[in-house]
Amino acid sequence: METAEILHEFERATGKFARAAVEAAVARREEVTPELLRILEETVDRAAELDAEGDYMAHLYAMFLLAQFRETRAYPLVVRFASLPGDLLDSLCGDFITEDLGQVLASVCGGELTGIQSLIENEDNDEWVRGAALSGLVALVAAGQKSRDEIVNYFTGLFRGKLVRQWSHVWDTLVSYSSDLYPEELLDDIERAYEDGLVDPYYIGFDDVKRDLAVGKDRILARLADNPHRRLVQDTIAEMGWWACFREDRQTRARSSAQSPAKANLNPVAVASPIKRATPKTGRNEPCPCGSGKKYKKCCGA
């Protein structure tokens, strides 16, 4: 398959995963990489226009492949993409932000943290992007590219002044990922965050943090190393091929799940879809559509 055909297969959502094109892109890595970078840059520059087309998805293939290739030239482009307005990002890539952005950032950063940190610390960025960027730092620890102590020290700075002290999802994720790294040094800061109402206890409770502390550092870090959601991107087919927007038959979908057993337990209806929703998005403060009576952000939205 020639490069032009590969790119054509990536461009639009057709209801079928472009497996052959992905395989060809991997085989033609050197030739395809500049085109994938171009796609990502064009997506950033023309985001609203491409979103209006409704079925554009080349940027998703591009980000996963560049992450698989460990292409550091993609890093500033992914950071720019993630800095787009939250509603636009949601429309362009759905749950990719919460499910995959952190792993992609960790995979293309080459161990350089400035871009990820800029996403976290910029209060104008979408709160879900900021949480995903935090997860990218934890993925770097799980991958052995950054030490736990370095990231814990950075988290300490976030607790002590780098974040505005008012509730947002970034505080929830900061506490959650601190707990994933073993929260011993951060326990006082975490407790103060709860006292100040900065953390949603429905997302993670202080008792959950203390339970992780009681488990012990070695076991917590071993659990992190085994967490499939904190691994760098290894295989675009395994990462994307199972998505519900690709209307495969059951046998094919079963094979996709087998390639990525960590994803098999997730609800395939809730995964990322680059296609615009047929129904309006549920607001974070609206009643959850599941009927629990809770706000969406404290129920299924968490």
Side-chain angles (χ1 to χ4, degrees):
M1 188 179 294
E2 298 297 325
T3 297
E5 185 179 357
I6 293 171
L7 301 179
H8 176 74
E9 290 291 312
F10 289 164
E11 187 172 6
R12 303 292 168 186
T14 64
K16 182 178 180 182
F17 178 60
R19 180 184 298 268
V22 169
E23 292 171 345
V26 173
R28 290 176 170 266
R29 172 175 172 173
E30 291 187 8
E31 180 182 339
V32 167
T33 293
E35 295 299 321
L36 298 176
L37 293 168
R38 178 191 57 77
I39 286 170
L40 192 49
E41 183 170 20
E42 181 176 325
T43 301
V44 175
D45 292 340
R46 300 176 53 224
E49 178 184 349
L50 292 170
D51 175 54
E53 295 174 5
D55 60 353
Y56 181 75
M57 69 177 305
H59 58 304
L60 295 172
Y61 283 105
M63 282 191 282
F64 276 113
L65 282 165
L66 292 166
Q68 179 178 334
F69 297 162
R70 304 291 183 267
E71 180 51 69
T72 56
R73 288 177 292 176
Y75 185 33
L77 295 173
V78 176
V79 170
R80 284 180 58 202
F81 176 77
S83 301
L84 292 170
D87 288 347
L88 183 55
L89 286 173
D90 183 66
S91 186
L92 276 169
C93 53
D95 291 345
F96 168 84
I97 297 299
T98 54
E99 298 293 330
D100 305 294
L101 176 61
Q103 291 169 279
V104 168
L105 283 165
S107 299
V108 299
C109 75
E112 201 283 314
L113 302 184
T114 303
I116 294 176
Q117 291 171 345
S118 71
L119 291 173
I120 296 166
E121 296 172 30
N122 187 342
E123 298 289 332
D124 292 331
N125 285 334
D126 179 74
E127 60 181 337
W128 302 98
V129 165
R130 298 170 74 198
L134 282 167
S135 78
L137 297 180
V138 178
L140 289 170
V141 175
Q145 293 192 11
K146 290 294 175 182
S147 71
R148 170 196 174 272
D149 290 349
E150 180 179 356
I151 302 305
V152 167
N153 286 339
Y154 175 66
F155 282 6
T156 300
L158 294 176
F159 276 108
R160 298 181 184 179
K162 287 187 176 182
L163 295 182
V164 173
R165 294 187 72 80
Q166 64 184 30
W167 178 83
S168 73
H169 181 63
V170 70
W171 279 99
D172 299 338
T173 50
L174 176 59
V175 170
S176 179
Y177 296 136
S178 295
S179 198
D180 286 346
L181 293 175
Y182 190 70
E184 182 178 26
E185 303 97 312
L186 297 168
L187 193 62
D188 290 343
D189 294 295
I190 292 172
E191 185 172 18
R192 192 172 302 112
Y194 278 100
E195 292 171 352
D196 292 347
L198 304 177
V199 187
D200 185 345
Y202 285 95
Y203 188 88
I204 180 171
F206 190 51
D207 287 344
D208 298 317
V209 176
K210 290 190 287 186
R211 275 194 290 270
D212 281 340
L213 191 66
V215 168
K217 184 175 182 179
D218 290 342
R219 288 181 61 190
I220 287 293
L221 295 181
R223 186 173 72 187
L224 174 63
D226 289 338
N227 187 338
H229 304 297
R230 300 291 171 261
R231 293 176 184 166
L232 304 186
V233 175
Q234 302 292 341
D235 182 351
T236 298
I237 293 174
E239 296 292 341
M240 292 183 69
W242 62 281
W243 286 1
C245 62
F246 302 123
R247 317 233 182 262
E248 302 171 309
D249 60 41
R250 293 183 180 181
Q251 181 178 1
T252 305
R253 182 164 294 166
R255 288 199 297 268
S256 296
S257 297
Q259 287 179 321
S260 183
K263 307 282 192 180
N265 293 326
L266 296 177
N267 181 356
V269 176
V271 301
S273 172
I275 304 172
K276 289 185 177 180
R277 293 175 175 83
T279 57
K281 176 185 175 183
T282 303
R284 298 285 296 149
N285 290 305
E286 294 176 9
C288 188
C290 77
S292 67
K294 298 179 183 178
K295 291 183 178 181
Y296 178 65
K297 71 182 182 183
K298 293 187 176 183
C299 191
C300 296

